[in-house]
């Protein structure tokens, strides 16, 4: 069948099972949008306010569903507006395919109107990228892009398509796409024996789950593994939800804003098993004091992550789920009661506690715990970046994978609202709540219009402390309380702003209002914005300063 | 301890491959001593010989990160045992008629070719192991080197 390039793009998306794309039209993608018009019964296009919002939405769609997120933008500024979104997905290994238009092939390289070398720009932030200069290559390039995004360690792929390629016609033959299987292990029986021996001889094992556990859908396998070896479980920010946070064995996050229990457990453990993780500097802190008494086992799909940030004693390369399934067959159930009792005593002694609660003051802890109670374990929580992000990770009890969505590696303020839109589109039956701070909110609040116009009933839960809280916290600790450019006090009327976008707005200033407002917003199937006014001097604790010893968390900061 | 490593890689012969590899070295702060590339007997494939310097873990990372690039098809670490390596140099040297005879003597000693002669200078070329090229340049230096171009190392694994 003879089709033009734009139609081939959409046919290839259909081959991949894509039924939703996020994007923004423009000159170079006119033909693509003309085809989308024709295919509107098969592919839903979600129009955002800004290309960055579309990129984050595609990312949130992917994180919450496990499918590939697709975003479309025009050439030049449309394409460059995607860059932060693509980089966010890249740092967190999220499968996204970005399709950009470009000027016609004969105008490439001439500084033509809205021309940008987007493959050059995105080279360091994509797994791979393509520019299609020949219509005959178009279909296979799109298929290859999806394959790359989904294979091994996942990540974003960009395809740049000059305008004339979308007009030209060629023969299109539909292909049946085999689902990508990453279920493999590149390990020997000796390695299996070695790790089984290590586990059997260990008295104080600690399991540390990263985002790779979620990417490989290893939730059940991890649960079985934990029960078998009877070990406490800590997680990275990206690993939140990979293990039931309400399980006794779960001890909270590890690293800069991890729990004291995790900090002590990593210090005292004799076997540290890192699953699907890259040992970020935010987790290791000071390399010398990290797991000083332990053998370190690293299980990951990306060989380049092994021995990159930390030297490990044993590496098992492959899909986390596949390797756990192998180990679960080999390991005899263990009992580490003595060690777990010790861990539980730390848990009791050092609970996460923000400030002394009183009757009137709205604290993030109270709001998040109430939200947790009302929205429940099936809700999807997205976040922006900053204090509110850490509080959410600390106080919300995530029970299932893909229920916590946050920019971990890049730390992108302005990520959450777009991501929540994507997550809600992918999960129409679930409640999606984006937890934000006032700093992050102001970066991309334009996407409230998308929530209204596209009828995406997300709830924006905005903690307003009128400051850039996380930076302020660092300024308090390390810069002599010189709060340079972090006191915002912008006097924004958030309720009015929400209403201007046709989104219902609520304002909470007293603790007694929290439950009622949350209940009301959750009961309505429309977008809402809830502003919670909080104190500007609440800190994220515990905290290990960058490069500090993990066994010496700060648990108190004088204001 | 810093070490040199010769990497022979096969990459797709497509535009954008060189910036991908150069960009990888630049953004991760890897040291690149030389890079030599041209297409192979298969026009779709280019062979690149990269000489990199770094400590053990950096060199390990360089290999792993290169292999993650989608355009890199194969990577081999080469050494004196398993491969033969060569470099090519072209240079213009000499500053006077009096020294020319001595310069020709040096060239002959190394079996270097004389490519061009002017009243004051000679253009010479030599192919050999990098150490040989180094000593050739050292001996030519006193005659005054006006211009010099080294190809960078290229190497091939023995069968």
């Amino acid at each position: 069948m003879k089709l033009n390039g734009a139609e081939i793009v959409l046919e290839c998306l259909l081959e991949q099972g894509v039924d939703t794309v996020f994007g923004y039209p423009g000159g170079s993608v006119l033909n693509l949008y003309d085809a989308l018009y024709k295919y509107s019964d098969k592919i839903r296009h979600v129009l955002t306010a800004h290309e960055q919002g579309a990129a984050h939405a595609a990312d949130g769609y992917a994180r919450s569903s496990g499918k590939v997120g697709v975003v479309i933008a025009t050439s030049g500024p449309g394409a460059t507006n995607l860059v932060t979104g693509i980089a966010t997905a890249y740092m967190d290994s999220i499968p996204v395919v970005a399709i950009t238009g470009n000027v016609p092939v004969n105008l490439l390289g001439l500084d033509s109107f809205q021309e940008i070398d987007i493959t050059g720009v995105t080279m360091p932030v994509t797994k791979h990228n393509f520019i299609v200069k020949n219509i005959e290559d178009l279909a296979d390039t799109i298929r290859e892009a999806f394959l790359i995004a989904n294979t091994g360690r996942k990540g974003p792929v960009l395809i740049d398509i000059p305008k004339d390629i979308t007009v030209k016609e060629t023969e299109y033959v539909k292909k049946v796409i085999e689902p990508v299987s990453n279920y493999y292990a590149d390990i020997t029986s000796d390695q299996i024996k070695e790790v089984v021996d290590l586990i059997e001889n260990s008295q104080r094992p600690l399991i540390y789950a990263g985002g790779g556990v979620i990417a490989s859908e290893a939730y059940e396998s991890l649960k079985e593994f934990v029960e078998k070896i009877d070990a406490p479980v800590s997680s990275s920010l990206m690993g939140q939800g990979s293990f039931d946070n309400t399980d006794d064995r779960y001890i909270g996050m590890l690293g800069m804003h991890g729990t004291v229990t995790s900090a002590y457990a990593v210090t005292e453990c004799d076997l540290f098993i890192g699953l699907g993780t890259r040992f970020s500097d935010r987790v290791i802190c000071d390399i010398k004091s990290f797991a000083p008494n332990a053998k370190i086992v690293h299980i990951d799909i990306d060989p380049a992550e092994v021995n990159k940030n930390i030297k490990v004693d044993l590496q098992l390369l492959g899909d986390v789920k596949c390797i756990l399934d192998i180990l679960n067959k080999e390991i005899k159930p263990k009992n580490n009661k003595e060690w777990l009792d010790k861990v539980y005593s730390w848990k009791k002694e050092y609970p996460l506690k923000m400030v002394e609660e009183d009757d009137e003051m709205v604290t993030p802890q109270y709001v998040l715990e109430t939200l947790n109670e009302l929205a429940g374990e099936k809700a999807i929580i997205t976040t922006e970046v900053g204090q509110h992000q850490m509080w959410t990770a600390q106080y919300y009890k995530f029970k299932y994978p893909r229920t916590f969505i946050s920019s971990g590696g890049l730390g992108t303020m302005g990520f959450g609202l777009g991501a929540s839109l994507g997550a809600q589109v992918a999960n129409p039956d679930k409640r999606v709540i984006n937890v934000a701070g006032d700093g992050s909110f102001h970066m991309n609040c334009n996407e409230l219009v998308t929530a209204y116009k596209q009828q995406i009933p997300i709830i924006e839960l905005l903690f307003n402390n009128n400051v850039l809280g996380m930076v302020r916290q660092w300024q308090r600790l390390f810069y002599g309380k010189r709060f340079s450019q972090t006191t915002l006090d912008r006097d924004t009327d958030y309720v009015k702003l929400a209403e201007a976008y046709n989104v219902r707005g609520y304002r909470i200033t007293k603790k007694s209002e929290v439950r009622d407002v949350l209940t009301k917003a959750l009961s309505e199937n429309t977008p809402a914005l809830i502003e919670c006014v909080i104190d500007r001097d609440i800190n994220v604790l515990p905290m290990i300063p960058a490069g500090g010893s993990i066994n010496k968390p700060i648990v108190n900061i004088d204001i | 301890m810093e070490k040199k490593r010769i990497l022979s890689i096969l990459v797709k012969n497509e535009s954008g491959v060189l910036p991908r590899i150069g960009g990888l070295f630049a953004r991760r702060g890897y040291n690149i001593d030389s890079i030599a590339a041209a297409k192979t007997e298969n026009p779709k494939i280019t062979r690149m010989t990269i000489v990199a310097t770094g400590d053990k873990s950096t060199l390990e990372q360089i290999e792993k990160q290169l292999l993650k690039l989608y355009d890199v098809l194969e990577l081999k670490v080469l050494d004196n045992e398993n491969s033969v390596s060569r470099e090519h140099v072209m240079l213009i040297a000499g500053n006077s008629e009096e020294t020319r005879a001595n310069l020709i003597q040096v060239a002959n000693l190394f079996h270097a070719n004389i490519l061009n002669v002017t009243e004051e200078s000679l253009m010479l070329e030599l192919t050999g192991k990098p150490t040989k090229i180094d000593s050739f340049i050292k001996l030519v230096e006193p005659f005054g080197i006006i211009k010099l171009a080294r190809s960078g190392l290229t190497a091939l694994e023995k069968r």
Side-chain angles (χ1 to χ4, degrees), chain A residues 193-317:
Chain A
K193 196 181 169 307
E194 209 177 326
V195 71
V196 169
D197 283 351
L198 277 175
I199 290 168
E200 277 175 5
N201 294 321
S202 152
Q203 317 293 314
R204 300 183 306 281
L206 173 64
I207 294 167
Y208 168 63
V213 177
I214 296 169
S216 82
E217 308 284 353
Y219 180 76
E220 295 293 337
S221 310
L222 173 60
K223 192 165 183 280
E224 188 185 339
F225 183 66
V226 172
E227 281 161 10
K228 271 227 161 111
I229 78 170
D230 198 25
V233 183
S234 180
S235 77
S236 68
L237 182 75
M238 294 307 301
Q240 285 281 28
S242 63
F243 186 74
D244 182 353
N245 289 7
T246 61
D247 189 297
D248 277 346
R249 291 195 186 88
Y250 184 70
I251 59 171
M253 280 197 299
L254 184 66
M256 185 168 278
H257 293 299
T259 57
V260 174
T261 307
S262 290
Y264 287 178
V266 72
T267 307
E268 292 209 8
C269 70
D270 66 358
L271 177 65
F272 183 94
I273 305 173
L275 300 169
T277 177
R278 61 189 175 85
F279 289 95
S280 145
D281 56 293
R282 282 293 191 265
V283 166
I284 297 180
C285 302
D286 167 39
I287 196 157
K288 280 190 234 61
S289 62
F290 188 84
N293 305 308
K295 291 260 188 221
I296 297 178
V297 175
H298 190 180
I299 300 177
D300 200 87
I301 202 160
D302 182 358
E305 288 306 338
V306 178
N307 289 329
K308 188 183 84 177
N309 291 349
I310 195 162
K311 292 278 164 251
V312 302
D313 298 285
L314 185 65
Q315 48 174 290
L316 299 178
L317 289 176

Side-chain angles (χ1 to χ4, degrees), chain A residues 129 144 148 302-304 306, chain B residues 20 57 61 64 68 70-71:
Chain A
N129 59 27
E144 212 174 339
I148 295 169
D302 182 358
V306 178
Chain B
R20 274 181 215 283
S57 64
Q61 268 295 306
K64 287 174 170 176
K68 274 175 77 168
Y70 198 67
D71 288 332

Side-chain angles (χ1 to χ4, degrees), chain B residues 40-141:
Chain B
T40 62
E41 74 288 355
N42 179 347
K44 286 182 175 165
I45 292 175
T46 295
R47 183 181 295 281
M48 275 188 195
T49 310
I50 299 174
V51 182
T53 314
D55 58 23
K56 197 167 159 267
S57 64
T58 306
L59 291 170
E60 184 185 326
Q61 268 295 306
I62 291 175
E63 282 172 44
K64 287 174 170 176
Q65 294 292 348
L66 278 171
L67 279 170
K68 274 175 77 168
L69 292 180
Y70 198 67
D71 288 332
V72 173
L73 306 170
E74 187 192 290
L75 181 149
K76 286 246 163 83
V77 178
L78 302 184
D79 56 35
N80 288 336
E81 300 284 303
N82 68 6
S83 70
V84 177
S85 56
R86 287 290 180 269
E87 203 181 351
H88 185 237
V89 66
M90 292 169 75
L91 57 80
I92 299 173
N95 44 24
S96 68
E97 238 172 282
E98 297 87 70
T99 56
R100 194 194 292 157
N102 291 342
L103 181 55
I104 291 172
Q105 240 177 10
V106 172
N108 288 340
L109 189 65
F110 281 86
H111 301 292
N113 291 325
I114 299 169
L115 300 176
N116 190 29
V117 184
T118 67
E119 278 178 21
E120 276 102 33
S121 64
L122 297 176
M123 188 194 281
L124 304 172
E125 72 160 343
L126 179 65
T127 302
K129 287 183 183 166
T131 47
K132 186 178 174 185
I133 304 284
D134 288 342
S135 35
F136 175 61
I137 291 170
K138 209 170 165 191
L139 285 179
V140 173
E141 232 159 23

Side-chain angles (χ1 to χ4, degrees), chain A residues 16-266:
Chain A
Q16 302 287 339
V18 172
D19 56 12
T20 308
V21 297
F22 302 85
Y24 204 95
S28 293
V29 286
L30 271 164
N31 300 298
L32 214 47
Y33 275 80
D34 195 43
L36 273 167
Y37 191 82
K38 191 171 140 192
Y39 281 72
S40 60
D41 58 327
K42 295 185 191 120
I43 295 178
R44 176 183 180 191
H45 178 274
V46 178
L47 176 69
T48 54
H50 187 285
E51 287 91 351
Q52 186 184 350
H56 292 322
D59 179 323
Y61 181 91
R63 289 184 204 235
S64 64
S65 67
K67 294 191 276 190
V68 177
V70 179
V71 59
I72 300 173
T74 192
S75 62
T80 53
N81 279 345
L82 295 180
V83 174
T84 302
I86 295 172
T88 305
Y90 181 71
M91 287 294 275
D92 291 341
S93 311
I94 306 303
V96 168
V97 168
I99 298 170
T100 51
N102 210 332
V103 299
V105 172
N106 64 347
L107 290 182
L108 283 171
L110 304 177
D111 305 314
S112 309
F113 176 67
Q114 292 195 328
E115 182 198 354
I116 224 38
D117 168 22
I118 196 64
T119 51
V121 171
T122 57
M123 216 170 257
V125 296
T126 48
K127 227 181 135 181
H128 192 66
N129 59 27
F130 299 92
I131 178 162
V132 183
K133 292 184 182 170
N134 195 332
I135 177 84
E136 271 71 45
D137 298 335
L138 183 60
D140 280 341
T141 303
I142 294 166
R143 290 166 188 143
E144 212 174 339
F146 274 84
L147 186 68
I148 295 169
N150 254 328
T151 305
R153 181 175 178 177
K154 299 175 189 212
V157 179
L158 179 137
I159 312 163
D160 196 25
I161 310 175
K163 189 171 183 177
D164 53 332
I165 301 296
T166 60
V167 183
K168 281 183 186 158
E169 290 190 348
T170 191
E171 198 60 37
Y172 164 79
V173 183
K174 191 181 166 71
K175 257 198 184 166
V176 178
I177 306 293
E178 297 287 327
V180 178
S181 172
N182 289 315
Y183 195 77
Y184 71 90
D186 193 7
I187 55 177
T188 62
S189 50
D190 284 353
Q191 281 177 311
I192 297 170
K193 196 181 169 307
E194 209 177 326
V195 71
V196 169
D197 283 351
L198 277 175
I199 290 168
E200 277 175 5
N201 294 321
S202 152
Q203 317 293 314
R204 300 183 306 281
L206 173 64
I207 294 167
Y208 168 63
V213 177
I214 296 169
S216 82
E217 308 284 353
Y219 180 76
E220 295 293 337
S221 310
L222 173 60
K223 192 165 183 280
E224 188 185 339
F225 183 66
V226 172
E227 281 161 10
K228 271 227 161 111
I229 78 170
D230 198 25
V233 183
S234 180
S235 77
S236 68
L237 182 75
M238 294 307 301
Q240 285 281 28
S242 63
F243 186 74
D244 182 353
N245 289 7
T246 61
D247 189 297
D248 277 346
R249 291 195 186 88
Y250 184 70
I251 59 171
M253 280 197 299
L254 184 66
M256 185 168 278
H257 293 299
T259 57
V260 174
T261 307
S262 290
Y264 287 178
V266 72

Side-chain angles (χ1 to χ4, degrees), chain B residues 144-155:
Chain B
I145 294 175
I146 298 159
K147 274 185 184 172
L148 182 149
R150 279 177 90 143
S151 65
L153 188 85
T154 154

